Amino acid sequence: MDVGQGTHYGNLLSYKYYMRPTAQKMYGHSPNTKIKHHENVQKILQILALNGTCTTWEMAKIRFPNDNDKVRTKEKEFRRLLVGRIDRGKHSSGMLELGLVVKDGKVYRHPVSDKYRLSLHGILYCLDVLNLNKNDIDKISEKYADVLPKVFGKWDYLKSATEDQVYTIQILARGLLLDNPEIVKNKTNPMYELMSFIHTKFRKNFESISERDLAEQISLWFYTYLLYDTELKSKARSLTSVKKLQRILDQDDSLSRWYLKFVKDADRYYAKRADTIKKSGLL
DNA sequence: GAGATTGCTAACCACACGAC
DNA sequence: GTCGTGTGGTTAGCAATCTC
């Protein structure tokens, strides 16, 4: 897959502290914006979110299915927003440069044309800003299953297994519970330690991360977040969050091996750090 | 073969807005 | 008020392929 040509983006902390605020400043923080440029960009993002990989012509046809003149006009407008423009000798950046959208292959049937799709940061920005309903998020999961295989690729199973807790991925898109998992109240719940280890594991990738590694980080966040207890006070709760996660993992061998390896890595990491402190002679 | 379609690049002009 | 910048609307043109 020919992905992200010339586009660089960072890990989840980079999303929270750079990409999200920058994108909100440039393209709006809600679908109720009155700024035309924000509306146009959000429309492109919505088309790519709900339809997956498209050429600019296909995007314009989705916008105006029965009006070829408008398609021609819109296609040029969409391209300009995506790739930027040069006017009066000055270059203005487009959505590709920020990294919300990436090039994903080419169409060879006509003069070679680029195909575009959302990046993982773009997907998170859409989940954060576009006020999508559950049906829309289901469509994104279908179109981007290859990009986020451990989450979107198992969406239907996860929906039934977590009783719709899958939609909490919007919490990640808002940058919440990312680097502040200390709100976990249950001292036997390892969510704080595991969330912290996710950041340790990917800390060198703040400025640059491959799409595969970012998908890995998002997936680890997603499954670790399932440990979050929202009903601690409820006596009616039949399963602890740990057992609930175990039950989900038990149904899928590859998923189980993958996540338990992460937990073992975290365990080894913390044991080693504790050993270093003990041997330092400070205690 | 001619015209239509599709993809891409660039330019012109107008307007809004903030800085000075 | 002037200037620079960002953006929208529009047009022109080139090239390859498709359709009739």
Side-chain angles (χ1 to χ4, degrees), chain A residues 35-278:
Chain A
I35 299 170
K36 189 90 175 172
H37 184 55
H38 293 180
E39 282 178 21
N40 290 334
V41 169
Q42 288 181 21
K43 193 68 205 173
I44 291 178
L45 291 171
Q46 189 181 36
I47 288 170
L48 289 176
L50 301 183
N51 298 276
T53 306
C54 298
T55 63
T56 48
W57 191 266
E58 288 164 346
M59 289 160 59
K61 282 193 91 163
I62 290 166
R63 184 79 177 85
F64 295 106
N66 302 313
D67 190 331
N68 251 14
D69 283 343
K70 283 188 178 174
V71 168
R72 191 165 287 109
T73 303
K74 208 68 186 172
E75 184 269 339
K76 293 174 193 343
E77 186 183 318
F78 281 178
R79 181 192 319 287
R80 200 159 59 176
L81 290 169
L82 282 166
V83 304
R85 63 191 285 172
I86 295 172
D87 214 349
R88 282 169 287 195
K90 189 175 183 307
H91 174 73
S92 303
S93 63
M95 296 159 73
L96 278 171
E97 282 177 61
L98 182 59
L100 292 182
V101 176
V102 293
K103 289 183 183 178
D104 187 5
K106 294 176 184 293
V107 179
Y108 293 96
R109 66 174 182 272
H110 281 299
V112 178
S113 57
D114 290 321
K115 291 192 286 183
Y116 303 91
R117 66 163 168 81
L118 297 178
S119 67
L120 284 165
H121 282 184
I123 291 170
L124 292 177
Y125 176 76
C126 288
L127 290 170
D128 176 30
V129 165
L130 295 188
N131 201 17
L132 302 167
N133 58 36
K134 288 183 177 180
N135 193 34
D136 292 335
I137 298 174
D138 289 347
K139 278 187 188 167
I140 295 177
S141 74
E142 179 195 334
K143 299 295 180 186
Y144 290 88
D146 291 343
V147 180
L148 195 56
K150 291 190 177 73
V151 180
F152 286 162
K154 300 180 184 295
W155 195 250
D156 288 339
Y157 165 63
L158 290 170
K159 260 173 75 175
S160 61
T162 66
E163 297 163 355
D164 280 8
Q165 206 182 336
V166 282
Y167 299 106
T168 55
I169 196 166
Q170 285 180 295
I171 289 172
L172 173 63
R174 293 182 194 120
L176 300 175
L177 269 171
L178 195 58
D179 54 349
N180 57 334
E182 61 272 16
I183 65 170
V184 176
K185 293 173 183 147
N186 185 348
K187 300 300 177 194
T188 64
N189 187 319
M191 183 178 154
Y192 174 83
E193 287 74 17
L194 293 176
M195 281 291 191
S196 300
F197 184 62
I198 291 174
H199 292 304
T200 300
K201 188 175 163 71
F202 293 96
R203 69 185 160 200
K204 67 177 186 298
N205 297 112
F206 186 83
E207 291 188 2
S208 180
I209 192 169
S210 69
E211 188 161 63
R212 190 175 166 181
D213 284 349
L214 182 56
E216 173 90 354
Q217 191 185 20
I218 291 172
S219 303
L220 288 171
W221 178 93
F222 179 85
Y223 286 94
T224 304
Y225 180 76
L226 294 177
L227 291 168
Y228 185 53
D229 268 321
T230 54
E231 304 169 42
L232 275 175
K233 291 178 182 172
S234 169
K235 290 182 180 176
R237 188 165 50 86
S238 57
L239 283 174
T240 67
S241 56
V242 171
K243 283 188 177 165
K244 196 173 172 183
L245 176 59
Q246 282 175 328
R247 195 179 61 178
I248 291 166
L249 295 172
D250 283 348
Q251 303 297 313
D252 189 314
D253 282 347
S254 64
L255 208 55
S256 179
R257 280 197 300 276
W258 163 74
Y259 192 77
L260 290 183
K261 181 182 181 307
F262 162 71
V263 175
K264 283 176 186 170
D265 286 348
D267 185 43
R268 273 196 292 272
Y269 170 79
Y270 286 119
K272 196 175 171 187
R273 298 271 64 84
D275 196 44
T276 302
I277 292 173
K278 278 180 198 163

